[in-house]
Each structure stands twice: as C-alpha cells, then as structure tokens.
Amino acid sequence: MFPFLNAYRRSVYENELEEPEYSFADDRSDGIEIHAFGRDFAPVGTEEGYVLLTNGMSDRRMTLPASHREKGEKPRAELMWYVREPTPEIIVNLRWLAELPFMDATWFGFGHRVPMPTPPVEGCDFRTFLLLTPIIETDQRIAEALMVENDPVEILTVNLISDAEYRFIKEKGLDPFFDMLDEEDYPPIFDPKRKSYL
C-alpha cells in the first residue's frame, strides 16, 4: 500500500535478521508482503527454520476500542510465525490472518484467539490461532524499533492450539497455560504433529 513504509519496515527487520531468503509479494495494491528469514533456533544447530514476518499490516490502524487505547494497546501490528518451511499453505494463512482485522473491523493483541471451523494447516488437528508477543530477544527488538506515523507497532507471534487448550485458556487464563507450555517444553518452531497438552 505504501512502498516507503514497506522499505522502512524491511530495513528494521534486516537490522536484526539480515536479508530474507524469500519474499512473497501480493499482487493487489493493498497487499501484504511476507518475508522469510532463515534462522537456527537451537544453539547446537539442529533446529533450522524460518521467521516469517508480514510487511504491510501496520499500514492501517486496527479498530481498537477506546478503553483498550487508554490501556496502551497498540493500534498497529505485524505478524510473525516460526516455521520449518514457508509453504504456500502457511503463507496463505498468515496473509489471511494479517488481513482479518480490517475485514471484520476488529483488532489483534496479546493473547487473542482466532478459532477456525476446521484445521487451517494440513496434517495438524489444531484449529485455533493464538497470538502472543515474541520471547526471543532479537524479535522483541524489532517490535521496540517499529513506529508507523508515530504509532508503536505490535509484533504478534502466530501459534496453533488444540480445542482442549483453547478451552483451558478460556476457563483458567493465559498464565496457567504458559506454565503448562514451560513444563511441556513447547517448541519454538510450529510443529503440525505436536500433540495436545490436555
């Protein structure tokens, strides 16, 4: 939508992640680019994958309720997904998620869930997207550096959770869920074959 903003965001991304190995453009004038940055997720070099980052979602402000603006929630966001490979299916899902707040006049923030009628990724039984903030320091720095028209930009990581995990969060909250992820050694890279922890 705004080429100068895309170039600015990409420079912020590359400052932390170097150049992307792949970039997936969207032919529409208001389309959202997706960059795939190679990363070794483990100190011993056995967890190679990609950091996928949208570029263009934060061109527009999300429809944030006034009460949430007063609490300091950010009106703009970009999405990040840690994957083994940037498959066409994952790219389509990530782009759709990045466009959803503007289709439904809503907003995304930390802890938001997006339940789907069917699993969005083949080979994975989970059908609810869970959006969190990055816990990896380099990715946190991207969020701290990004500003669009004087608005800070939230970076939200994409995760898929099971129906039972979704119910657990609704009933008990996010903190007990995070404790469970720590106990189960939740993998940083999306694993479509991960079993539900509940």
Side-chain angles (χ1 to χ4, degrees):
M1 188 183 283
F2 300 107
F4 69 95
L5 285 176
N6 278 20
Y8 155 70
R9 278 184 297 261
R10 180 168 169 157
S11 71
V12 172
Y13 299 167
E14 289 181 355
N15 192 48
E16 296 294 342
L17 303 172
E18 301 183 354
E19 286 190 26
E21 287 188 27
Y22 308 103
S23 290
F24 303 92
D26 191 328
D27 294 336
R28 295 169 300 171
S29 61
D30 62 347
I32 294 171
E33 270 186 313
I34 296 173
H35 301 300
F37 300 89
R39 172 179 282 168
D40 181 355
F41 285 86
V44 292
T46 58
E47 290 286 344
E48 291 185 358
Y50 291 87
V51 179
L52 300 184
L53 253 173
T54 61
N55 186 356
M57 181 180 176
S58 61
D59 284 349
R60 296 170 279 179
R61 282 192 178 108
M62 298 178 288
T63 307
L64 212 64
S67 60
H68 289 279
R69 282 197 303 271
E70 291 160 9
K71 291 177 186 172
E73 299 280 1
K74 298 176 182 177
R76 299 179 193 263
E78 297 287 347
L79 301 182
M80 179 180 280
W81 199 350
Y82 305 134
V83 300
R84 290 260 180 242
E85 293 290 337
T87 64
E89 183 182 41
I90 284 175
I91 296 299
V92 165
N93 274 287
L94 186 56
R95 186 170 281 126
W96 176 82
L97 266 179
E99 293 168 348
L100 183 59
F102 312 106
M103 291 188 274
D104 286 354
T106 187
W107 65 288
F108 285 160
F110 173 78
H112 283 201
R113 279 89 66 193
V114 182
M116 304 292 289
T118 58
V121 176
E122 188 176 348
C124 181
D125 294 332
F126 303 164
R127 59 191 181 104
T128 298
F129 288 108
L130 171 66
L131 302 177
L132 303 173
T133 49
I135 61 170
I136 297 173
E137 192 174 332
T138 53
D139 304 338
Q140 292 172 348
R141 287 198 297 264
I142 292 170
E144 291 163 6
L146 273 183
M147 295 282 290
V148 172
E149 295 179 348
N150 296 318
D151 290 332
V153 177
E154 188 79 89
I155 296 289
L156 296 167
T157 62
V158 175
N159 303 267
L160 272 170
I161 58 173
S162 70
D163 292 351
E165 292 165 348
Y166 177 50
R167 287 192 299 272
F168 181 88
I169 293 170
K170 287 178 75 172
E171 292 167 10
K172 300 189 182 292
L174 281 169
D175 286 341
F177 181 68
F178 294 151
D179 290 341
M180 182 172 62
L181 295 186
D182 286 342
E183 289 168 13
E184 298 288 346
D185 200 20
Y186 180 68
I189 304 175
F190 168 60
D191 179 3
K193 295 186 174 17
R194 174 178 81 83
K195 299 300 182 190
S196 178
Y197 297 143
L198 293 166

